[in-house]
Amino acid sequence: MRSDKRPAAVTMADVAARAGVSRALVSIVFRGVPGASPETRQRVMEAADQLSYRPDQRARLLGSNRSRTVGVVFGLHREFHAEVVEALYGAAETTGYDLALGAAAPTRDETRAVQSLLGYRCEALILIGPTLPQAAIEELAERLPVVVVARALRTRVADVVRTDDISGARIAVEHLSGLGHESIVHVDGRRAPGAAERRRGYRDAMRALGLESRAAEVAGGLTEEDGERAAAELLAGSLPTAVTAFNDHCAAGLLAAVRAQGVSVPGGLSVVGYDDSHVAGLSSVALTTVAQDATRLAGSALELAVSRVVDGSDAPPRSEVVVPPRLVVRRTTAPVG
């Protein structure tokens, strides 16, 4: 007859009995404080491993003012944000800190996401591509350490980790120019984080290449729908030979729309995206794009957040980490016809 009883959870007392020591000594070992010899620590850890025991970190922290938790605010529908979050989990494995996620979405703004994380007593916050006003971010940074990721921000109270978006837009234009393109249009991200820097990089590159008179910009955005609208505007006029898009999703929407109207890509139009997200690598898209290093961005952000918590008032002045992008060439760019 099958029993519905669940096996009893392994306790600290069980570990103590297996190791032949007191429960107090087991507690000392798992808290990492002085009071147990190296031999005792080894015996306790071996017993815990044999019993598959894992200490309840939340219970251990209830009596202290520590949560050892870093809050992360990210855009729920932003693929690149998800890549950074995944990389943050990898970076957190060796820090002893947990992550708490606060998702922002059309029905849940960043302010609500931040407030929910503060309710979990997070010791620091990482804001990925935040759209909060700078004043709001700085007010938050006066309360606890804040690291801003993927947004250029001049501030003395928060750390910033970002890609060099000016350089990223520039290498996209230079790639197209190297293929013989002169009529290159930029489909921008409007007010999204990074959009201003990518516009500037596009303009700087066109000017440096002597193509300033050919420079043109079309309103785009973050999504495939934004790319489709930009395509409609391009198709209504004189079609350029090449386009740089604010991100990969915008580029993917543009690609689908122009192909639906019989435009060959890259034969009739070359397209470059930004982020090197999952969609860019799909065989049906094969998008040339500018890659951001999500792993390095995440590692730098978490290192800064934890160091601020650990060092406190002894921490160095706020810093900005700028990570270089790189070009990934696939099948949506070719020499001008």
Side-chain angles (χ1 to χ4, degrees):
M1 182 176 179
R2 184 173 63 88
S3 172
D4 291 330
K5 290 185 178 180
R6 295 181 179 179
V10 178
T11 67
M12 197 174 288
D14 297 325
V15 176
R18 174 65 67 92
V21 299
S22 68
R23 185 184 181 284
L25 265 177
V26 174
S27 176
I28 286 172
V29 170
F30 280 107
R31 283 187 290 123
V33 297
S37 68
E39 295 78 12
T40 297
R41 291 181 186 277
Q42 182 177 353
R43 193 159 71 248
V44 168
M45 296 307 294
E46 288 176 351
D49 185 58
Q50 292 165 7
L51 295 171
S52 299
Y53 171 76
R54 296 186 65 184
D56 187 341
Q57 298 294 342
R58 291 184 180 180
R60 182 174 66 82
L61 293 168
L62 279 176
S64 72
N65 292 322
R66 301 293 308 278
S67 68
R68 295 189 72 84
T69 301
V70 175
V72 181
V73 178
F74 69 104
L76 185 62
H77 301 301
R78 298 287 303 276
E79 184 180 349
F80 180 69
H81 288 200
E83 292 178 11
V84 175
V85 169
E86 182 176 359
L88 281 169
Y89 274 111
E93 288 182 355
T94 59
T95 65
Y97 281 75
D98 289 327
L99 301 181
L101 302 185
T107 57
R108 188 175 191 264
D109 64 19
E110 288 176 339
T111 300
R112 289 181 61 189
V114 167
Q115 292 304 318
S116 70
L117 293 175
L118 293 178
Y120 284 110
R121 298 193 299 118
C122 292
E123 297 189 62
L125 290 179
I126 294 174
L127 311 179
I128 304 176
T131 58
L132 288 169
Q134 180 167 335
I137 294 174
E138 292 180 336
E139 182 180 349
L140 189 61
E142 297 289 353
R143 301 174 58 182
L144 77 172
V146 171
V147 181
V148 174
V149 179
R151 174 179 169 183
L153 194 69
R154 292 185 178 180
T155 177
R156 295 182 178 180
V157 295
D159 293 296
V160 175
V161 179
R162 64 179 180 86
T163 299
D164 186 347
D165 285 318
I166 294 176
S167 173
R170 185 165 56 242
I171 62 177
V173 174
E174 289 171 349
H175 167 66
L176 293 168
S177 175
L179 294 172
H181 295 277
E182 296 183 350
S183 178
I184 306 169
V185 170
H186 178 60
V187 178
D188 81 354
R190 294 184 287 189
R191 300 183 66 181
E197 289 71 34
R198 295 176 200 180
R199 278 194 298 272
R200 178 180 167 186
Y202 163 78
R203 294 169 183 171
D204 287 352
M206 293 293 281
R207 184 182 306 110
L209 292 166
L211 301 174
E212 187 173 10
S213 64
R214 307 291 296 273
E217 297 164 23
V218 171
L222 300 168
T223 67
E224 288 87 346
E225 290 80 8
D226 292 321
E228 289 178 351
R229 284 190 290 270
E233 182 173 343
L234 291 173
L235 290 165
S238 178
L239 194 67
T241 65
V243 166
T244 63
F246 171 71
N247 70 7
D248 292 340
H249 285 271
C250 182
L254 185 145
L255 281 172
V258 298
R259 283 170 170 163
Q261 296 300 312
V263 177
S264 171
V265 177
L269 180 70
S270 285
V271 179
V272 181
Y274 205 107
D275 288 341
D276 194 25
S277 56
H278 173 71
V279 67
L282 293 174
S283 60
S284 59
V285 180
L287 179 67
T288 294
T289 186
V290 176
Q292 300 196 70
D293 191 337
T295 299
R296 186 170 170 186
L297 291 170
S300 297
L302 191 64
E303 181 180 354
L304 284 168
V306 171
S307 67
R308 294 293 175 197
V309 173
V310 173
D311 297 338
S313 59
D314 294 327
R318 304 299 173 183
S319 63
E320 180 180 50
V321 177
V322 182
V323 178
R326 61 186 176 86
L327 184 71
V328 179
V329 179
R330 295 194 178 96
R331 297 199 307 269
T332 59
T333 53
V336 64

